[in-house]
Amino acid sequence: MVQTVHGRTCASCTLCCKVLAIPEVPTPRDAWCGNCAVGKGCKVYEQRPEPCRTFHCGYLIWDAVPDHWFPARARIVIVSELGFRINFYVDASQPGRWREKPWYDDIKALAIRGIADGRQVLVTAGARVFAIFPERDVDLGSVAPDEAVVTGRRPDGSWGAAKVPASDPRLAQLGGGLSLGGLIPLQ
Ligand code: SF4
Ligand code: SF4
């Protein structure tokens, strides 16, 4: 069972029921799930799909995340993905929210620490995906379901990001079914 940060609950949030796509729920990402009583909870709580039962956002489980990240206030949901990525999903109705203080400063600080640990730090704001690096942000535009986001060092030592087909053989270097991308050397 996942240990949540003492004193933190979903309370009146429900934002993950909008910003995330859940295959078992026929509602697209960035639209409220049809089962959601917005600001109250899940109308099918006892029968909710397995991904909904097991999901915990970063605010709930990481005590290093400050209180101002309560998703209902921040309008951003922090998600750990695939074991190597931290993705900040922004409410599409406020797509510029992540650039505001104090959230942007936290995202940049996490990019510094995350990249040192071999992690990818992304912001997903509506249809656009941004790769976050200590010194700059890279706007990747929309990322198709059959594309992967890769980040890595360029030959000159700078950090870069790119979209590649999920079938790109370089992804095989990453091992472990990381077909959605990861950190690899960029050309
Ligand atoms: S985004 Fe986090 S706090 Fe909000 S409802 Fe989902 S799991 Fe709970
Ligand atoms: S089924 Fe319930 S918990 Fe799952 S996304 Fe919909 S409203 Fe949220």
Side-chain angles (χ1 to χ4, degrees):
M1 186 171 170
V2 175
Q3 186 71 41
T4 56
V5 178
H6 181 70
R8 287 188 180 172
T9 68
C10 293
S12 60
C13 180
T14 69
L15 188 60
C16 56
C17 302
K18 177 182 181 185
V19 303
L20 302 180
I22 298 164
E24 289 81 353
V25 176
T27 309
R29 193 165 64 78
D30 294 327
W32 289 105
C33 170
N35 295 325
C36 185
V38 179
K40 295 179 180 170
C42 178
K43 289 186 267 190
V44 295
Y45 187 79
E46 295 302 329
Q47 291 82 38
R48 67 198 189 286
E50 186 63 22
C52 305
R53 293 176 183 274
T54 55
F55 177 74
H56 296 81
C57 72
Y59 166 81
L60 285 182
I61 58 175
W62 295 331
D63 56 11
V65 173
D67 287 344
H68 56 254
W69 280 94
F70 179 47
R73 177 183 171 213
R75 310 312 300 172
I76 303 169
V77 178
I78 308 173
V79 181
S80 174
E81 294 178 329
L82 307 168
F84 68 87
R85 174 185 295 161
I86 297 172
N87 205 334
F88 294 86
Y89 285 89
V90 185
D91 185 350
S93 65
Q94 298 186 49
R97 185 68 157 170
W98 65 281
R99 294 187 192 276
E100 297 177 16
K101 286 180 175 288
W103 300 286
Y104 186 69
D105 291 345
D106 291 350
I107 291 170
K108 293 301 261 190
L110 188 68
I112 293 170
R113 291 203 305 273
I115 286 171
D117 291 342
R119 293 185 185 280
Q120 207 178 58
V121 180
L122 302 183
V123 169
T124 300
R128 289 167 72 185
V129 176
F130 300 82
I132 310 300
F133 300 106
E135 71 283 0
R136 70 194 181 107
D137 309 325
V138 178
D139 184 351
L140 292 162
S142 63
V143 178
D146 61 351
E147 291 180 316
V149 174
V150 291
T151 49
R153 293 273 193 195
R154 294 199 182 92
D156 67 2
S158 65
W159 285 100
K163 295 182 288 189
V164 299
S167 57
D168 190 311
R170 291 178 299 171
L171 294 173
Q173 301 169 28
L174 302 169
L178 302 182
S179 61
L180 294 177
L183 295 166
I184 63 174
L186 294 176
Q187 295 174 338

